[in-house]
Amino acid sequence: MAAQKGKIVCVTGAGGFVGSWLVKHLLSNNYTVHGTVRNPMDEKNGHLKKLEKASENLKLFKADLLDYESLRAAIVGCDGVFHTASPVPPSSVPDPEVELIKPAVDGTLNVLKACCEVDVKKVVYVSSVAAISVIPNRPDRPLDETFWSDQELCRSNNDWYCLSKTKAESEAWEFSKTNGIEFLSVCPTLISGPMLQNTINASSLILIKLLRGFISLGAEGYEELENRSRLIVDVRDLADALILVYEKPEANGRYICTSHEIRSKELVEILKKYYPNYNYPKKFIEPKGKLSATSQKLRELGWSYRPLEETLVDSVESYIEKGILGKN
Ligand SMILES: NC(=O)c1ccc[n+]([C@@H]2O[C@H](COP(=O)([O-])OP(=O)(O)OC[C@H]3O[C@@H](n4cnc5c(N)ncnc54)[C@H](OP(=O)(O)O)[C@@H]3O)[C@@H](O)[C@H]2O)c1
């Protein structure tokens, strides 16, 4: 059966944490999906082939962000593109310009250039609150979509991931305006929730370390954790948000995607209620400042989200099921 108009889409980074859930939700909403992965034969992408409707409606393409032709081959024939692929390292990398900034920025521009060439008009880009929150003086009110991270401040803080996302998003906006692409960006905060893929992604690792009593730097045996305020969104709610902005004709501009604001200590208290026996951090150090952001614009478009406890419990259950955590 031929796909309906607007229903053939490309998802870059299909095998990643966000990409996998987005592909799953698109398939269950009767989309035909062209998913890009770096290696379709790699077992790490095996979960995609097992998704419901994947055998009929998912086609995987081998593509690298820095290989224009490979991206173009996946995008041709699509009505829209969801661009999620970008490096998200769990810790610092030796050469951030090459490993982070180039693939994020040039990769995003390659996607947009291919869209121009093959006449795809609508692109939904997964940016980040990292492209919003690195500013010299945070206001007293929650951050909204009018804020942009200061690229010089990112550089001087060695905040290379934030720089990669800020530069990629701002250059993408410029390119899209000049070339008549309908571009929408969604800026999630920390993404949590169950993993479909078997390899641990950077944001899931944050929660896993909390359950194992590690501090964020990854050193084993530390018992103290900064009691920072975390802004969390569930990966499944993010996937819904991406589809919502793609489908709603009135969607425009940037959308912050966040659901819950919580301190690390409270997060541990919730987890302890369900899983009392993991090796949680025992002391909390009070941090300076806090991050606050609002998703009011996305909620006005019709987005809603699940309770935090559901996200946390489903996350832990997925780590147990994959053998990452022992049973509690
Ligand atoms: N997780 C969060 O808390 C969070 C928060 C805000 C925004 N985001 C954004 O969400 C998006 C998805 O992140 P994620 O959490 O799902 O991380 P992830 O699981 O690490 O996924 C990243 C994806 O990007 C792909 N990728 C990286 N470099 C590539 C390259 N040179 N060519 C082709 N593909 C490349 C990876 O492919 P391989 O599998 O081959 O490595 C992977 O599929 C990213 O744009 C990230 O910046 C994430």
Side-chain angles (χ1 to χ4, degrees):
M1 196 177 71
Q4 281 169 266
K5 201 174 173 307
K7 285 280 199 175
I8 306 180
V9 292
C10 175
V11 174
T12 67
F17 179 45
V18 172
S20 300
W21 274 103
L22 177 59
V23 170
K24 184 177 163 63
H25 285 203
L26 286 166
L27 291 174
S28 67
N29 281 288
N30 296 319
Y31 280 85
T32 295
V33 181
H34 293 192
T36 79
V37 292
R38 281 194 273 192
N39 182 1
M41 303 315 288
D42 192 331
E43 204 16 61
K44 78 187 262 197
N45 296 311
H47 63 283
L48 291 173
K49 295 173 191 152
K50 294 181 196 141
L51 294 175
E52 207 178 321
K53 296 193 189 164
S55 56
E56 313 99 272
N57 293 336
L58 173 64
K59 187 169 177 203
L60 294 184
F61 291 76
K62 179 179 168 64
D64 191 284
L65 286 172
L66 297 178
D67 177 353
Y68 175 78
E69 288 304 328
S70 69
L71 290 170
R72 185 189 181 283
I75 291 171
V76 70
C78 291
D79 303 301
V81 171
F82 292 88
H83 177 38
T84 84
S86 202
V88 193
S91 50
S92 62
V93 292
D95 191 345
E97 286 290 346
V98 171
E99 292 171 61
L100 270 173
I101 298 175
K102 198 170 164 56
V105 178
D106 295 0
T108 302
L109 292 176
N110 277 339
V111 167
L112 293 173
K113 281 175 195 156
C115 289
C116 267
E117 203 195 324
V118 305
D119 212 21
V120 167
K121 290 274 181 273
K122 200 161 190 172
V123 177
V124 177
Y125 170 59
V126 181
S127 182
S128 170
V129 79
I132 289 181
S133 60
V134 186
I135 50 176
N137 299 303
R138 286 209 183 126
D140 291 335
R141 64 193 164 93
L143 297 179
D144 61 28
E145 290 82 0
T146 59
F147 288 88
W148 275 92
S149 288
D150 179 325
Q151 295 192 27
E152 279 318 305
L153 187 58
C154 293
R155 252 179 217 288
S156 61
N157 291 347
N158 293 330
D159 224 336
W160 304 112
Y161 172 73
C162 293
L163 181 62
S164 76
K165 296 304 287 183
T166 310
K167 217 166 153 19
E169 195 196 331
S170 70
E171 293 197 18
W173 275 113
E174 218 173 289
F175 184 94
S176 303
K177 278 177 191 152
T178 316
N179 292 280
I181 292 177
E182 190 182 343
F183 184 78
L184 297 140
S185 70
V186 175
C187 301
T189 53
L190 180 70
I191 307 166
S192 207
M195 298 192 317
L196 289 172
Q197 85 285 7
N198 288 317
T199 43
I200 305 175
N201 62 291
S203 62
S204 298
L205 190 61
I206 293 176
L207 191 56
I208 292 166
K209 283 178 176 171
L210 205 65
L211 291 148
R212 287 177 172 172
F214 293 13
I215 63 158
S216 55
L217 291 173
E220 202 165 348
Y222 280 79
E223 293 193 334
E224 290 184 338
L225 185 78
E226 197 181 11
N227 191 21
R228 45 191 291 201
S229 95
R230 296 264 185 208
L231 298 179
I232 298 180
V233 63
D234 189 292
V235 65
R236 298 162 291 185
D237 296 331
L238 170 61
D240 289 342
L242 294 167
I243 297 172
L244 184 75
V245 300
Y246 178 72
E247 289 182 345
K248 286 264 180 177
E250 67 270 34
N252 70 87
R254 308 173 91 194
Y255 288 90
I256 290 177
C257 187
T258 191
S259 312
H260 305 285
E261 185 174 334
I262 187 162
R263 294 265 180 197
S264 308
K265 196 174 170 184
E266 293 169 72
L267 204 58
V268 166
E269 292 311 318
I270 297 176
L271 287 164
K272 271 186 181 167
K273 238 175 34 187
Y274 293 92
Y275 305 98
N277 298 321
Y278 286 124
N279 185 23
Y280 295 100
K282 299 189 177 47
K283 285 186 200 151
F284 292 87
I285 308 158
E286 285 312 309
K288 295 189 197 98
K290 79 182 193 89
L291 178 60
S292 189
T294 173
S295 270
Q296 193 184 336
K297 188 179 169 205
L298 192 55
R299 288 202 309 275
E300 283 168 4
L301 198 65
W303 181 68
S304 58
Y305 51 83
R306 71 200 65 218
L308 180 62
E309 300 205 358
E310 186 179 327
T311 300
L312 297 177
V313 169
D314 291 352
S315 303
V316 176
E317 291 300 320
S318 93
Y319 310 149
I320 295 172
E321 185 222 300
K322 290 177 188 301
I324 296 163
L325 287 179
K327 275 206 166 29
N328 195 252

